[in-house]
Amino acid sequence: MKIGIAGAGLAGRLCAFLLSKQGHEITVFDPASGPSDPVASGFAAAGMLSHVAELEKGDNNIYNLGVRSLALWKHIVPQLVEPVELHYNGSLMLAHRGDEGAANRLISLLSHKAPADQQPQKISLEQLKIEEPSISGVAHAWALPNEGHIHTRQAMHALYASSANTHWHWQTPVNKLSPQTIFTQEGEHHFDWVFDTRGLGAREVKFPNAHTLSCQNVRGVRGEVLWLQVPTLSLSRPIRLLHPRYCVYLVPRKPDILFIGASEIESEDRSPISVRTTVELLTAAHSVLPEIAEARIIHTETNLRPALIDNFPRIETEQGLSRINGLFRHGWLIAPAIVENALQEMLGEQYSAMS
Ligand SMILES: Cc1cc2nc3c(=O)[nH]c(=O)nc-3n(C[C@H](O)[C@H](O)[C@H](O)COP(=O)(O)OP(=O)(O)OC[C@H]3O[C@@H](n4cnc5c(N)ncnc54)[C@H](O)[C@@H]3O)c2cc1C
């Protein structure tokens, strides 16, 4: 089949990769200048694959999509033509003395919502010192042993490079689309099937009803992140700090990068990271990893998470057109399973992204 994809973000690249494996001929359109131009929100993400921790705000559907996607990433990454860091060595949740209220509430909630074999596991400070000697100053620690993380920039490029039979039209925004047709400044492009994976770019400006749940009724949620270079750091897995006022996570990336994120602000402002967020994130990070005091801030980034009114993902399918949107704050956690579901609606229930 001839497939047209509007949007070369995470969902669009996964569609291209999985459909190209089936032998389809793919054409992708995106306004970015090239495959590494970090326009898509997927580039800014930490790549936490946190199916259990996301139960704080997510529902069972997010959890199940996350579990399926963890298995799918394990299957997809070895097939890519470029290396992608993918780790399944769990994550840690840490709390300072005095912050027990917020921490205990979250641990109770996760313990209530997660299945018996995925419960947060309390670990002693002695054990923490042995496992993660860089961490200090915390009073409580829990492990989520089955969570993972993925190197998002590597994965974005590797998905692009691994999609065979795919024509990439960069600097080409899609102005409009309909079943089997994509409209760009170059004209009309006809396909057997069209995918709308434009994230925030899918917004229909004159949407008739602000309360309508639709892939085109999408808003952006600002996220700001920092990268530190820390040559001495030895941290084997992501940390989430259970703080009463803000949410901070720290993700190690080889060889010596510490990724610190992320704000979550109801705003579509893409301007650089604010002083307030920088201070909050770095103060929190320094409170658990004191050795970052001499680290260098080598990169900051801001992007917008595409969210629908219920903050949950959504697929809309009609003959000749599939829309995928609303991946919000858990796109890396759930995208492989969401795309698999969309392809099942198009190709039939027998389709599996494991094939
Ligand atoms: C700071 C931050 C941290 C995050 N951390 C995590 C995390 O740790 N774990 C996790 O699971 N998720 C995380 N996320 C969420 C995740 O990155 C997103 O859910 C996911 O990237 C959304 O994918 P998408 O393909 O729907 O949209 P995007 O990745 O935004 O892609 C949309 C694409 O459409 C293109 N486009 C826009 N307009 C048009 C047009 N008119 N025509 C053609 N193309 C168009 C854009 O250029 C872009 O390439 C984070 C997000 C942010 C911002």
Side-chain angles (χ1 to χ4, degrees):
M1 275 205 267
K2 281 181 68 185
I3 311 283
I5 299 177
L10 172 59
R13 289 178 199 218
L14 273 167
C15 282
F17 172 71
L18 293 172
L19 285 165
S20 74
K21 278 207 318 161
Q22 301 276 307
H24 300 291
E25 190 189 332
I26 322 289
T27 306
V28 186
F29 304 89
D30 197 289
S33 62
S36 305
D37 182 6
V39 177
S41 59
F43 284 100
M48 303 262 283
L49 306 177
S50 306
H51 59 298
V52 178
E54 281 298 297
L55 277 171
E56 180 187 8
K57 293 187 178 160
D59 60 2
N60 282 345
N61 186 38
I62 297 290
Y63 176 84
N64 291 331
L65 290 166
V67 170
R68 175 67 180 166
S69 294
L70 286 170
L72 286 173
W73 280 125
K74 213 178 262 184
H75 179 73
I76 289 170
V77 164
Q79 299 173 40
L80 301 177
V81 298
E82 295 173 357
V84 174
E85 264 185 66
L86 173 67
H87 301 281
Y88 286 91
N89 42 358
S91 67
L92 289 171
M93 296 195 295
L94 306 177
H96 289 298
R97 196 166 308 289
D99 293 344
E100 286 85 358
N104 288 336
R105 187 205 65 84
L106 179 59
I107 296 300
S108 303
L109 180 65
L110 298 185
S111 305
H112 168 67
K113 288 175 111 177
D117 61 343
Q118 304 282 335
Q119 298 281 310
Q121 296 174 3
K122 178 96 182 150
I123 52 178
S124 69
L125 295 183
E126 294 71 33
Q127 191 58 29
L128 182 67
K129 199 80 222 157
I130 294 165
E131 292 181 16
E132 301 288 358
S134 287
I135 297 175
S136 80
V138 299
H140 308 279
W142 295 264
L144 296 174
N146 301 308
E147 295 201 333
H149 65 286
I150 187 166
H151 193 307
T152 55
R153 288 191 168 225
Q154 287 177 352
M156 289 292 274
H157 199 273
L159 285 168
Y160 152 78
S162 308
S163 300
N165 304 323
T166 304
H167 314 282
W168 301 87
H169 292 244
W170 302 110
Q171 295 177 292
T172 312
V174 168
N175 302 329
K176 207 173 84 174
L177 52 75
S178 60
Q180 300 186 310
T181 310
I182 283 179
F183 301 82
T184 69
Q185 74 248 15
E186 294 160 359
E188 279 182 34
H189 308 262
H190 297 282
F191 301 97
D192 297 309
W193 203 279
V194 163
F195 282 83
D196 184 0
T197 51
R198 288 174 293 171
L200 202 53
R203 177 156 57 201
E204 181 57 58
V205 180
K206 294 189 183 118
F207 210 82
N209 180 353
H211 309 300
T212 303
L213 188 56
S214 160
C215 285
Q216 293 164 276
N217 193 9
V218 57
R219 73 182 196 286
V221 179
R222 176 176 162 96
E224 303 152 287
V225 302
L226 296 138
W227 298 11
L228 304 188
Q229 187 166 32
V230 203
T232 54
L233 187 72
S234 67
L235 185 66
S236 72
R237 55 202 144 156
I239 297 172
R240 196 178 289 261
L241 188 59
L242 306 185
H243 193 279
R245 281 181 294 282
Y246 33 80
C247 165
V248 181
Y249 50 78
L250 316 172
V251 182
R253 278 187 182 170
K254 284 184 183 145
D256 57 3
I257 303 299
L258 183 68
F259 185 111
I260 308 180
S263 58
E264 194 174 304
I265 302 168
E266 286 294 337
S267 161
E268 295 191 349
D269 176 358
R270 285 180 185 258
S271 64
I273 188 168
S274 68
V275 170
R276 177 181 171 157
T277 300
T278 306
V279 169
E280 286 177 357
L281 293 182
L282 289 179
T283 304
H286 183 251
S287 73
V288 292
L289 294 171
E291 71 185 89
I292 66 168
E294 283 305 319
R296 298 297 183 258
I297 301 170
I298 57 165
H299 180 70
T300 65
E301 195 166 342
T302 301
N303 212 313
L304 305 178
R305 306 168 178 92
L308 306 185
I309 58 170
D310 60 358
N311 285 347
F312 288 128
R314 185 172 173 84
I315 300 168
E316 292 168 6
T317 307
E318 60 185 295
Q319 189 57 38
L321 173 63
S322 301
R323 298 183 195 271
I324 302 171
N325 215 339
L327 301 190
F328 185 38
R329 52 181 263 162
H330 20 241
W332 286 93
L333 172 65
I334 62 174
I338 283 282
V339 169
E340 179 180 57
N341 289 352
L343 298 192
Q344 282 168 346
E345 290 185 15
M346 171 202 178
L347 298 168
E349 281 301 311
Q350 75 286 355
Y351 171 78
S352 164
M354 285 287 188
S355 57

